[in-house]
Amino acid sequence: MIVLTINGKRRNIDLPADTPLLWVLRDTLELTGTKYGCGISICGACTVLVDGEPARACVTPVSAVLDKSIVTIEAIDQDATGRKVQEAWLNLGVPQCGYCQAGQVMAATALLKRTSSPTDADIDTAMSGNICRCGTYPRIRAAIKQAAGLTEDKP
Ligand code: FES
Ligand code: FES
């Protein structure tokens, strides 16, 4: 039996230790906000926070996160920074199809936790691994700036 801490709760998981975290989230715990995109650490759709840092759940075995705090999109509004990011996303209507957006929000939250006033270069670097097939990058950047308080609250 494996014990993980996900969104502040201890969860008992009866799966092999090399099971990817993404399978546990989506298939076992039905936390389907975290998306499966490429499965090989390229697209960022599966991004979650592990001890506050962005991590690719598709290539992270549960054995690597046993003593860590895992946060998914379902609980990001319980974090003050995550809540600001979600509000900015809503304010600016960032998503198009929405598929990549949970991962984008997680990566943006991690960025703002590290860097409260990011430059364009900081944003580009932090978000470069999160691919959006709809091309919402300009709105993502604007929303990150709004969440950081670098622009007016309303567009
Ligand atoms: S699904 Fe994990 S990086 Fe694409
Ligand atoms: S909003 Fe469609 S993939 Fe990003």
Side-chain angles (χ1 to χ4, degrees):
M1 185 71 69
I2 284 170
V3 181
L4 298 178
T5 303
I6 300 174
N7 297 338
K9 293 188 186 135
R10 307 268 287 171
R11 309 293 300 253
N12 296 324
I13 313 290
D14 190 10
L15 285 170
D18 61 352
T19 306
L21 176 59
L22 184 58
W23 303 167
V24 173
L25 296 175
R26 290 185 55 85
D27 294 349
T28 305
L29 301 177
E30 298 185 353
L31 293 168
T32 54
T34 305
K35 297 295 186 271
Y36 173 83
C38 63
I40 52 171
S41 192
I42 289 175
C43 73
C46 66
T47 303
V48 297
L49 298 186
V50 175
D51 284 349
E53 292 296 326
R56 302 290 169 92
C58 68
V59 293
T60 301
V62 289
S63 58
V65 292
L66 295 181
D67 300 320
K68 301 182 190 283
S69 168
I70 300 153
V71 175
T72 71
I73 190 71
E74 284 85 358
I76 199 65
D77 65 338
Q78 292 168 25
D79 176 275
T81 304
R83 191 161 51 247
K84 278 186 196 163
V85 169
Q86 276 197 327
E87 286 168 1
W89 247 244
L90 287 171
N91 268 343
L92 297 181
V94 172
Q96 192 162 318
C97 82
Y99 199 84
C100 72
Q101 296 291 329
Q104 304 280 7
V105 165
M106 303 309 281
T109 300
L111 164 64
L112 292 180
K113 282 176 162 298
R114 280 197 313 274
T115 310
S116 58
S117 297
T119 63
D120 284 356
D122 292 333
I123 293 171
D124 290 348
T125 299
M127 303 302 291
S128 63
N130 286 77
I131 295 168
C132 176
R133 65 189 172 188
C134 300
T136 60
Y137 303 113
R139 293 201 297 275
I140 288 170
R141 184 188 280 183
I144 291 171
K145 289 184 176 178
Q146 187 175 102
L150 298 173
T151 56
E152 297 294 318
D153 270 355
K154 290 290 175 188

